[in-house]
Amino acid sequence: MRYSIHDGPGIRTTIFFKGCPLSCKWCHNPEGIEQKPEKTFNAQKCINCGHCQNNAIFECPTGARETVGYEITVSDLRNEINKDTLFYEQSGGGVTFSGGEPLLQSDFLLDVLTCCKKDYIHTAVDTCGFCETETILKAAEITDCFLYDIKFINDQKHKEYCGVSNKIILLNLKRLSETNVKLLIRIPVIPSINDSLLEMNDIFNFIKDFPNIETVHLLPYHNIHSDKYNRLGKKYELSGISDSESPNMSAIVKIFRGRFNTKIGG
Protein backbone atom coordinates (compact mmCIF):
# COMPACT_ATOMS: atom_id res chain seq x y z
CA MET A 1 0.00 0.00 0.00
CA ARG A 2 1.50 3.31 -1.10
CA TYR A 3 1.16 6.78 0.45
CA SER A 4 0.28 5.56 3.95
CA ILE A 5 0.48 8.12 6.76
CA HIS A 6 -0.54 5.89 9.68
CA ASP A 7 2.22 3.27 9.81
CA GLY A 8 5.14 5.37 11.04
CA PRO A 9 6.57 8.84 10.34
CA GLY A 10 6.04 10.65 7.05
CA ILE A 11 4.62 9.19 3.84
CA ARG A 12 5.22 5.45 3.76
CA THR A 13 4.91 2.36 1.64
CA THR A 14 3.36 -0.45 3.67
CA ILE A 15 4.24 -4.02 2.68
CA PHE A 16 1.78 -6.63 3.95
CA PHE A 17 3.17 -10.11 4.63
CA LYS A 18 0.80 -13.07 4.65
CA GLY A 19 0.87 -15.45 7.58
CA CYS A 20 0.37 -14.80 11.31
CA PRO A 21 0.97 -17.04 14.36
CA LEU A 22 -1.89 -15.35 16.23
CA SER A 23 -5.60 -15.76 15.58
CA CYS A 24 -7.07 -12.64 17.21
CA LYS A 25 -10.84 -12.83 17.19
CA TRP A 26 -11.13 -9.18 16.11
CA CYS A 27 -8.46 -9.35 13.39
CA HIS A 28 -8.95 -6.52 10.87
CA ASN A 29 -6.80 -8.23 8.23
CA PRO A 30 -8.10 -11.83 8.06
CA GLU A 31 -6.57 -12.16 4.60
CA GLY A 32 -3.18 -11.99 6.33
CA ILE A 33 -3.65 -14.93 8.70
CA GLU A 34 -2.99 -17.75 6.23
CA GLN A 35 0.44 -17.67 4.61
CA LYS A 36 -0.63 -19.19 1.32
CA PRO A 37 -2.56 -17.21 -1.32
CA GLU A 38 -6.35 -17.35 -0.84
CA LYS A 39 -9.35 -17.04 -3.12
CA THR A 40 -12.08 -14.53 -2.28
CA PHE A 41 -15.62 -14.01 -3.56
CA ASN A 42 -17.59 -10.76 -3.36
CA ALA A 43 -21.23 -11.58 -4.08
CA GLN A 44 -22.14 -7.90 -4.46
CA LYS A 45 -19.89 -7.58 -7.50
CA CYS A 46 -20.94 -10.83 -9.15
CA ILE A 47 -23.01 -10.44 -12.35
CA ASN A 48 -23.30 -14.18 -13.05
CA CYS A 49 -21.33 -13.83 -16.27
CA GLY A 50 -20.19 -17.45 -16.09
CA HIS A 51 -16.55 -16.53 -16.64
CA CYS A 52 -15.42 -18.37 -13.51
CA GLN A 53 -17.22 -21.63 -14.27
CA ASN A 54 -13.95 -22.82 -15.75
CA ASN A 55 -11.93 -23.57 -12.59
CA ALA A 56 -8.72 -22.89 -14.47
CA ILE A 57 -9.78 -19.25 -14.81
CA PHE A 58 -10.26 -17.94 -11.31
CA GLU A 59 -9.70 -14.21 -11.78
CA CYS A 60 -12.92 -12.39 -12.58
CA PRO A 61 -13.40 -9.42 -14.96
CA THR A 62 -15.77 -7.75 -12.44
CA GLY A 63 -13.46 -8.25 -9.44
CA ALA A 64 -16.00 -10.50 -7.75
CA ARG A 65 -13.41 -13.27 -7.52
CA GLU A 66 -9.81 -12.52 -6.63
CA THR A 67 -6.67 -14.21 -5.38
CA VAL A 68 -5.18 -12.55 -2.31
CA GLY A 69 -1.42 -12.86 -1.94
CA TYR A 70 1.50 -13.60 -4.24
CA GLU A 71 5.17 -14.46 -4.08
CA ILE A 72 7.89 -11.90 -4.78
CA THR A 73 11.67 -11.90 -4.69
CA VAL A 74 13.78 -9.64 -2.48
CA SER A 75 15.15 -7.94 -5.59
CA ASP A 76 11.71 -7.20 -7.04
CA LEU A 77 10.38 -5.93 -3.72
CA ARG A 78 13.43 -3.69 -3.35
CA ASN A 79 12.70 -2.20 -6.77
CA GLU A 80 9.08 -1.51 -5.81
CA ILE A 81 10.11 0.16 -2.55
CA ASN A 82 12.63 2.38 -4.31
CA LYS A 83 9.96 3.75 -6.66
CA ASP A 84 8.74 5.91 -3.76
CA THR A 85 12.13 7.24 -2.64
CA LEU A 86 11.19 10.82 -3.55
CA PHE A 87 8.21 10.74 -1.18
CA TYR A 88 10.33 9.31 1.64
CA GLU A 89 12.94 12.04 1.24
CA GLN A 90 10.43 14.89 1.13
CA SER A 91 8.29 13.71 4.06
CA GLY A 92 10.74 11.91 6.33
CA GLY A 93 8.91 8.67 5.54
CA GLY A 94 9.97 5.20 4.52
CA VAL A 95 8.69 1.65 4.34
CA THR A 96 6.70 -0.29 6.94
CA PHE A 97 6.53 -4.08 6.99
CA SER A 98 3.21 -5.25 8.32
CA GLY A 99 0.95 -8.27 8.01
CA GLY A 100 -0.01 -10.75 9.02
CA GLU A 101 3.26 -11.00 10.88
CA PRO A 102 6.38 -10.03 8.92
CA LEU A 103 8.73 -11.78 11.36
CA LEU A 104 7.07 -15.09 10.49
CA GLN A 105 9.06 -14.86 7.24
CA SER A 106 12.15 -13.67 9.07
CA ASP A 107 14.85 -14.58 6.55
CA PHE A 108 13.07 -12.69 3.78
CA LEU A 109 12.33 -9.74 6.06
CA LEU A 110 15.91 -9.46 7.29
CA ASP A 111 17.18 -9.50 3.70
CA VAL A 112 14.80 -6.69 2.69
CA LEU A 113 15.63 -4.65 5.80
CA THR A 114 19.30 -4.97 4.91
CA CYS A 115 18.59 -3.70 1.39
CA CYS A 116 16.64 -0.74 2.76
CA LYS A 117 19.47 0.13 5.10
CA LYS A 118 21.91 0.10 2.18
CA ASP A 119 19.51 2.35 0.26
CA TYR A 120 19.18 4.78 3.24
CA ILE A 121 15.44 4.14 3.54
CA HIS A 122 13.76 4.48 6.95
CA THR A 123 12.14 1.21 8.02
CA ALA A 124 9.51 0.16 10.54
CA VAL A 125 8.36 -3.34 11.48
CA ASP A 126 4.73 -3.71 12.59
CA THR A 127 4.74 -6.82 14.77
CA CYS A 128 2.78 -8.80 17.31
CA GLY A 129 6.13 -9.82 18.83
CA PHE A 130 5.46 -13.56 18.70
CA CYS A 131 8.76 -14.91 17.40
CA GLU A 132 12.15 -16.13 18.57
CA THR A 133 13.92 -13.49 20.66
CA GLU A 134 17.08 -13.90 18.60
CA THR A 135 15.12 -13.09 15.45
CA ILE A 136 13.56 -9.89 16.72
CA LEU A 137 16.90 -8.69 18.10
CA LYS A 138 18.49 -9.26 14.68
CA ALA A 139 15.75 -7.15 13.14
CA ALA A 140 16.34 -4.46 15.77
CA GLU A 141 19.91 -4.07 14.55
CA ILE A 142 18.83 -3.09 11.02
CA THR A 143 15.46 -1.37 11.42
CA ASP A 144 14.65 2.10 12.70
CA CYS A 145 11.56 1.38 14.75
CA PHE A 146 8.98 -1.18 15.75
CA LEU A 147 5.23 -0.71 15.83
CA TYR A 148 4.59 -3.20 18.62
CA ASP A 149 1.11 -4.55 19.39
CA ILE A 150 -0.01 -5.33 22.93
CA LYS A 151 -3.45 -6.82 23.47
CA PHE A 152 -3.33 -8.13 27.03
CA ILE A 153 -1.00 -8.59 29.97
CA ASN A 154 -3.25 -11.38 31.27
CA ASP A 155 -1.91 -14.55 29.67
CA GLN A 156 -5.13 -16.56 29.93
CA LYS A 157 -7.12 -13.86 28.16
CA HIS A 158 -4.45 -13.65 25.49
CA LYS A 159 -4.74 -17.38 24.91
CA GLU A 160 -8.55 -17.14 24.78
CA TYR A 161 -8.79 -14.24 22.36
CA CYS A 162 -5.52 -14.47 20.40
CA GLY A 163 -4.90 -18.22 20.38
CA VAL A 164 -1.42 -18.24 21.95
CA SER A 165 0.38 -17.33 25.16
CA ASN A 166 1.78 -13.80 25.38
CA LYS A 167 4.86 -14.72 27.44
CA ILE A 168 7.29 -14.54 24.50
CA ILE A 169 5.59 -11.33 23.30
CA LEU A 170 6.17 -9.56 26.60
CA LEU A 171 9.69 -10.98 26.91
CA ASN A 172 10.58 -9.73 23.43
CA LEU A 173 9.24 -6.27 24.19
CA LYS A 174 11.33 -6.15 27.36
CA ARG A 175 14.43 -7.21 25.42
CA LEU A 176 13.75 -4.54 22.77
CA SER A 177 13.49 -1.96 25.54
CA GLU A 178 17.13 -2.73 26.33
CA THR A 179 18.21 -1.73 22.80
CA ASN A 180 18.34 1.66 21.08
CA VAL A 181 15.58 0.93 18.57
CA LYS A 182 12.53 3.21 18.76
CA LEU A 183 9.26 1.65 19.91
CA LEU A 184 5.73 2.75 19.18
CA ILE A 185 3.11 0.78 21.12
CA ARG A 186 -0.23 -0.03 19.53
CA ILE A 187 -3.11 -1.22 21.69
CA PRO A 188 -6.41 -2.30 20.11
CA VAL A 189 -9.17 -1.27 22.49
CA ILE A 190 -11.95 -3.86 22.18
CA PRO A 191 -15.18 -3.10 24.09
CA SER A 192 -15.97 -5.63 26.85
CA ILE A 193 -12.84 -7.67 26.02
CA ASN A 194 -9.68 -5.75 26.90
CA ASP A 195 -10.93 -2.21 27.58
CA SER A 196 -11.15 -2.51 31.37
CA LEU A 197 -9.12 0.03 33.34
CA LEU A 198 -7.53 -2.88 35.20
CA GLU A 199 -6.18 -4.40 31.97
CA MET A 200 -5.01 -1.03 30.65
CA ASN A 201 -3.30 -0.18 33.94
CA ASP A 202 -1.51 -3.53 33.75
CA ILE A 203 -0.25 -2.67 30.26
CA PHE A 204 0.84 0.79 31.40
CA ASN A 205 2.71 -0.59 34.41
CA PHE A 206 4.51 -3.09 32.18
CA ILE A 207 5.79 -0.50 29.71
CA LYS A 208 6.08 2.68 31.78
CA ASP A 209 9.81 2.36 32.49
CA PHE A 210 10.91 1.36 28.99
CA PRO A 211 13.05 4.31 27.84
CA ASN A 212 12.68 3.92 24.07
CA ILE A 213 8.88 4.05 23.94
CA GLU A 214 7.87 7.51 22.74
CA THR A 215 4.29 7.02 21.63
CA VAL A 216 1.22 4.89 22.42
CA HIS A 217 -1.59 4.55 19.88
CA LEU A 218 -4.97 3.41 21.22
CA LEU A 219 -6.82 1.80 18.32
CA PRO A 220 -10.64 1.99 18.54
CA TYR A 221 -12.54 -1.12 17.52
CA HIS A 222 -14.65 -1.16 14.37
CA ASN A 223 -16.32 -3.98 12.45
CA ILE A 224 -16.08 -2.63 8.90
CA HIS A 225 -13.76 -5.55 8.19
CA SER A 226 -16.54 -8.14 8.68
CA ASP A 227 -17.17 -8.17 4.92
CA LYS A 228 -13.60 -9.44 4.44
CA TYR A 229 -14.52 -12.56 6.40
CA ASN A 230 -17.55 -13.15 4.21
CA ARG A 231 -15.45 -12.87 1.04
CA LEU A 232 -12.94 -15.37 2.46
CA GLY A 233 -15.70 -17.76 3.50
CA LYS A 234 -14.79 -17.35 7.17
CA LYS A 235 -16.95 -16.64 10.21
CA TYR A 236 -16.35 -13.46 12.19
CA GLU A 237 -16.62 -14.48 15.83
CA LEU A 238 -17.16 -11.05 17.40
CA SER A 239 -20.17 -9.97 15.37
CA GLY A 240 -22.03 -9.12 18.59
CA ILE A 241 -19.48 -6.57 19.78
CA SER A 242 -20.63 -2.94 19.65
CA ASP A 243 -19.09 -0.92 16.83
CA SER A 244 -19.02 2.13 19.10
CA GLU A 245 -15.80 3.36 20.67
CA SER A 246 -15.15 1.95 24.14
CA PRO A 247 -16.95 4.00 26.84
CA ASN A 248 -13.68 3.82 28.80
CA MET A 249 -11.55 5.46 26.09
CA SER A 250 -11.22 8.85 27.80
CA ALA A 251 -10.12 7.21 31.05
CA ILE A 252 -7.71 4.93 29.16
CA VAL A 253 -6.11 7.93 27.45
CA LYS A 254 -5.48 9.50 30.85
CA ILE A 255 -3.66 6.36 32.04
CA PHE A 256 -1.04 6.66 29.28
CA ARG A 257 -0.93 10.39 28.58
CA GLY A 258 0.95 11.32 31.73
CA ARG A 259 3.93 9.28 30.60
CA PHE A 260 3.69 8.88 26.81
CA ASN A 261 2.62 10.83 23.77
CA THR A 262 -0.79 9.20 23.40
CA LYS A 263 -3.05 9.20 20.36
CA ILE A 264 -6.43 7.65 19.58
CA GLY A 265 -6.12 5.86 16.25
CA GLY A 266 -3.10 5.66 13.99
Side-chain angles (χ1 to χ4, degrees):
M1 181 174 68
R2 289 187 154 91
Y3 316 122
S4 171
I5 58 172
H6 298 295
D7 295 325
I11 296 174
R12 309 190 69 78
T13 300
T14 302
I15 309 297
F16 292 95
F17 284 57
K18 277 182 66 63
C20 184
L22 272 59
S23 53
C24 301
K25 293 185 183 297
W26 58 82
C27 181
H28 288 182
N29 294 314
E31 69 278 11
I33 297 175
E34 297 291 334
Q35 190 165 346
K36 66 181 185 299
E38 296 175 275
K39 298 176 181 180
T40 69
F41 174 64
N42 186 339
Q44 294 179 341
K45 291 185 176 181
C46 181
I47 59 173
N48 295 313
C49 66
H51 185 75
C52 60
Q53 290 181 0
N54 180 353
N55 290 331
I57 305 174
F58 187 79
E59 304 301 337
C60 175
T62 68
R65 294 184 182 270
E66 296 179 299
T67 300
V68 179
Y70 58 90
E71 293 184 357
I72 191 170
T73 65
V74 171
S75 177
D76 286 345
L77 182 54
R78 183 181 190 178
N79 290 336
E80 286 297 316
I81 290 169
N82 276 278
K83 289 178 181 179
D84 296 332
T85 300
L86 180 63
F87 296 101
Y88 310 151
E89 293 174 348
Q90 292 182 343
S91 69
V95 60
T96 298
F97 300 97
S98 187
E101 172 50 59
L103 286 163
L104 191 63
Q105 301 182 52
S106 59
D107 290 342
F108 185 91
L109 176 65
L110 293 172
D111 285 347
V112 179
L113 286 172
T114 300
C115 291
C116 290
K117 194 172 185 68
K118 291 178 180 178
D119 295 335
Y120 301 100
I121 295 174
H122 182 281
T123 55
V125 176
D126 185 1
T127 181
C128 70
F130 191 89
C131 65
E132 295 290 335
T133 301
E134 180 183 2
T135 299
I136 205 166
L137 291 178
K138 284 182 179 178
E141 293 176 358
I142 50 176
T143 193
D144 294 289
C145 71
F146 283 92
L147 313 181
Y148 204 101
D149 297 346
I150 303 180
K151 286 88 170 177
F152 298 93
I153 297 297
N154 184 292
D155 189 47
Q156 285 303 120
K157 286 186 177 180
H158 200 278
K159 290 177 182 176
E160 178 181 356
Y161 288 102
C162 303
V164 299
S165 169
N166 66 358
K167 290 181 179 178
I168 189 65
I169 294 171
L170 300 180
L171 171 63
N172 285 342
L173 181 56
K174 185 176 186 304
R175 292 296 303 276
L176 287 177
S177 75
E178 298 165 356
T179 72
N180 294 321
V181 71
K182 291 184 178 180
L183 296 172
L184 185 155
I185 300 299
R186 284 180 160 181
I187 306 171
V189 182
I190 316 300
S192 77
I193 292 180
N194 75 335
D195 68 332
S196 73
L197 299 187
L198 175 61
E199 186 65 50
M200 291 297 162
N201 269 299
D202 284 346
I203 294 175
F204 173 78
N205 288 328
F206 184 79
I207 67 174
K208 65 180 181 180
D209 296 323
F210 294 168
N212 48 349
I213 297 176
E214 299 178 352
T215 305
V216 171
H217 284 183
L218 302 170
L219 309 180
Y221 171 81
H222 62 76
N223 61 13
I224 61 174
H225 54 282
S226 58
D227 183 56
K228 290 185 179 181
Y229 285 82
N230 293 333
R231 283 183 275 151
L232 288 166
K234 297 179 179 180
K235 180 182 178 181
Y236 183 57
E237 296 186 40
L238 296 186
S239 56
I241 297 292
S242 171
D243 195 29
S244 301
E245 183 179 284
S246 167
N248 296 332
M249 186 64 85
S250 294
I252 293 171
V253 169
K254 291 179 181 179
I255 291 173
F256 293 94
R257 184 161 285 169
R259 167 66 178 84
F260 303 105
N261 175 29
T262 304
K263 176 183 177 182
I264 297 176

